[in-house]
Amino acid sequence: MTVRRGKKLSISIQEHMAIDVCPGPIRPIRQISAYFPRLSPTSPTPVSPNPTVSPPPSLSPGSVASGMGGSHLLSPLLAQGRPGGGGSLSLTSSVDTSVEINSDDSDDCTALGTLEFELKYEQSSNKLHCTVIRAKGLKPMDFNGLADPYVKLHLLPGACKANKLKTRTIRNSLNPVWNETLTYVGITEEDMHRKTLRLSVCDEDKLTHNELIGESRVPLKRVKPDQTKHFHTCLEHPPPLPSPTAMGEALRGISCYLREWENEQLHSLEERGRLLLTLQFLPPVSLEDKAVEGGGGEGRRNGGLCVGVKRCAHLAAMDVNGFSDPYVKIYLKPDIEKKSKHKTAVMKRTLNPEFNEEFFYEISLSELANKTLEVTVWDYDLGRSNDFIGGVCLSSKSQGDALRHWTDCLKNKGQRVERWHILTNELPRTLSHD
């Protein structure tokens, strides 16, 4: 039997069988009039014993649905991609889970769940506050159909144990509520422009390794200073590691870029924490000033450089207990007489030590312009060699924050200049071990 429609649709049906365009198994439809109202033939049509089935002309799900007068035959995926009566199936119609969601009704956009949090950057104190509020609809990870979720933070690039922060674990929940604020200190304006915050939701497992449920990444440049920004994002799978060697011929055009990216990541320095330093060049004291101040220190009468070691933050853990016993050493190089070494006290079992110690070098401004200040942080170990945590060099040949700090100190005599510095795992070339 052949059913014909006079406008746009012509479908051949063999042996009283029709095929539903919905996803699922093929099933017989006995009452054709239910799908084609007002299409019943007015007169009986002779059917040959061997009917010739003609192929339907360019039949698409969208056109069939519009011709049948009902959108209930379309799958939800197709329904989202068709604003009107017609449409075609497209691979790009799937939901992008990397975008923010603005309502609680959007939790079903990903099978991994959603994460709600807030970010605020305090420019005056160089602090970044991340308030992890809650997660909803997390993917079950345990045999009981639940999970033991927690959230850990990393700053990218340079993710390591030194800049990892972690919330507490919520037991047996797929909709955990933390309301916990984690704070990064020593975050500069440059960090806010080039860093990305990664929030990873993980399932804690005491017997095996912890498992990643999903993650969300936020470029810090989206956060304005001294303003709280609210985020409600869908969790995603971590992006695959780019590998140009495994790409096909169609991706050869971008392989050069990815190869350069891999080389940059390979040679990039690992962050080992942050160091807060103050520099102040004290000019020579005149005779009148000496009488007013009551003499002062003998070494400071001729002027020199005052170096203040304030504190460190997010240091790398060097001991098996997850902590370090840090102290700071400073040198003013070149040091021919081997007298420029200074050392702070050792702080036990901490990754965020506060030293608040000052050291003075008697030197003229012209001589200081040709010197290099080397500041290194070490982990003290009793009975064996101390472990190098990280360091920074300040001189007229430095770059970035180190150069700006050094230049500001030389230009602003008598003023105390304070700045945070990133510690890297590169040992200064002129460093002498002791």
Side-chain angles (χ1 to χ4, degrees):
M1 181 179 65
T2 303
V3 180
R4 300 184 181 273
R5 183 180 178 182
K7 292 185 179 181
K8 296 183 179 180
L9 183 63
S10 177
I11 303 178
S12 297
I13 304 175
Q14 190 174 19
E15 297 180 357
H16 306 282
M17 300 287 291
I19 300 177
D20 191 357
V21 297
C22 275
I26 299 175
R27 60 180 184 272
I29 300 177
R30 297 182 179 179
Q31 297 182 356
I32 304 300
S33 60
Y35 280 80
F36 296 93
R38 296 173 299 179
L39 291 183
S40 301
T42 58
S43 60
T45 303
V47 180
S48 61
N50 298 318
T52 302
V53 180
S54 59
S58 63
L59 184 61
S60 64
S63 61
V64 172
S66 60
M68 292 180 181
S71 61
H72 61 280
L73 296 179
L74 286 177
S75 65
L77 182 62
L78 292 176
Q80 294 175 3
R82 52 186 297 272
S88 59
L89 180 62
S90 174
L91 295 178
T92 60
S93 60
S94 60
V95 179
D96 184 4
T97 61
S98 63
V99 298
E100 291 184 41
I101 51 182
N102 298 320
S103 66
D104 294 339
D105 298 331
S106 303
D107 294 345
D108 294 333
C109 66
T110 173
L112 302 180
T114 63
L115 181 65
E116 188 176 355
F117 58 95
E118 292 179 346
L119 295 179
K120 181 179 180 180
Y121 175 61
E122 294 183 0
Q123 191 173 16
S124 59
S125 59
N126 296 112
K127 291 183 179 180
L128 176 65
H129 303 283
C130 177
T131 302
V132 183
I133 302 175
R134 62 185 174 182
K136 296 182 66 177
L138 294 181
K139 177 182 177 182
M141 304 297 291
D142 298 336
F143 291 110
N144 59 1
L146 300 174
D148 302 321
Y150 67 92
V151 180
K152 61 179 180 179
L153 311 182
H154 284 102
L155 288 175
L156 306 177
C160 58
K161 292 183 179 180
N163 59 36
K164 182 183 79 172
L165 298 179
K166 179 182 174 182
T167 67
R168 68 185 187 277
T169 301
I170 306 296
R171 300 292 178 186
N172 298 323
S173 177
L174 298 181
N175 300 282
V177 177
W178 289 282
N179 285 326
E180 189 172 344
T181 300
L182 306 175
T183 302
Y184 282 103
V185 298
I187 303 299
T188 62
E189 295 183 17
E190 182 180 355
D191 292 329
M192 296 298 296
H193 284 88
R194 68 183 184 92
K195 291 281 188 179
T196 297
L197 180 65
R198 180 178 67 190
L199 300 93
S200 304
V201 182
C202 302
D203 172 60
E204 183 178 289
D205 199 327
K206 295 182 178 180
L207 300 179
T208 60
H209 295 289
N210 298 341
E211 296 180 288
L212 174 67
I213 299 177
E215 68 174 35
S216 180
R217 303 190 180 197
V218 178
L220 295 183
K221 60 184 178 182
R222 298 179 58 184
V223 181
K224 296 181 180 180
D226 302 317
Q227 295 184 14
T228 301
K229 186 171 180 61
H230 186 87
F231 294 89
H232 194 186
T233 61
C234 293
L235 296 177
E236 302 175 283
H237 293 286
L241 182 65
S243 177
T245 57
M247 293 183 178
E249 295 293 334
L251 300 180
R252 181 177 295 180
I254 64 173
S255 62
C256 295
Y257 167 77
L258 292 177
R259 189 176 295 112
E260 293 178 359
W261 182 88
E262 284 185 340
N263 292 333
E264 181 181 354
Q265 295 297 315
L266 182 63
H267 295 91
S268 62
L269 298 177
E270 178 187 355
E271 288 189 16
R272 294 292 188 89
R274 303 293 174 101
L275 172 66
L276 181 60
L277 285 179
T278 62
L279 298 180
Q280 182 183 17
F281 180 79
L282 299 175
V285 181
S286 61
L287 297 177
E288 293 79 5
D289 295 334
K290 290 180 184 180
V292 173
E293 295 178 2
E298 182 66 25
R300 302 196 180 191
R301 294 179 181 177
N302 298 326
L305 176 66
C306 183
V307 181
V309 181
K310 292 294 186 180
R311 60 176 298 186
C312 294
H314 313 301
L315 293 180
M318 307 301 291
D319 298 336
V320 294
N321 59 6
F323 294 97
S324 294
D325 302 321
Y327 67 95
V328 179
K329 291 193 299 185
I330 61 175
Y331 292 88
L332 193 61
K333 301 291 185 72
D335 183 21
I336 301 177
E337 299 180 356
K338 306 294 182 182
K339 294 182 178 180
S340 69
K341 175 185 172 182
H342 291 286
K343 185 190 300 185
T344 67
V346 177
M347 300 295 169
K348 295 291 186 179
R349 290 177 56 86
T350 179
L351 300 180
N352 299 277
E354 294 188 12
F355 301 101
N356 293 318
E357 298 188 33
E358 288 188 348
F359 307 97
F360 183 78
Y361 293 101
E362 184 179 352
I363 189 173
S364 64
L365 184 62
S366 59
E367 293 176 333
L368 184 61
N370 298 320
K371 294 285 187 177
T372 298
L373 181 66
E374 292 181 357
V375 185
T376 55
V377 183
W378 297 78
D379 170 54
Y380 175 77
D381 289 321
L382 182 63
R384 58 190 181 94
S385 299
N386 298 330
D387 298 321
F388 173 72
I389 296 179
V392 61
C393 292
L394 295 88
S395 69
S396 58
K397 299 180 181 179
S398 300
Q399 297 178 352
D401 289 334
L403 177 60
R404 284 189 286 271
H405 197 183
W406 187 256
T407 304
D408 291 342
C409 173
L410 298 181
K411 290 182 177 179
N412 301 281
K413 294 182 293 183
Q415 296 184 11
R416 190 183 302 271
V417 184
E418 183 177 275
R419 187 178 290 271
W420 283 93
H421 296 276
I422 298 175
L423 301 174
T424 65
N425 60 338
E426 184 182 29
L427 269 170
R429 296 180 180 178
T430 59
L431 184 65
S432 60
H433 299 275
D434 55 353

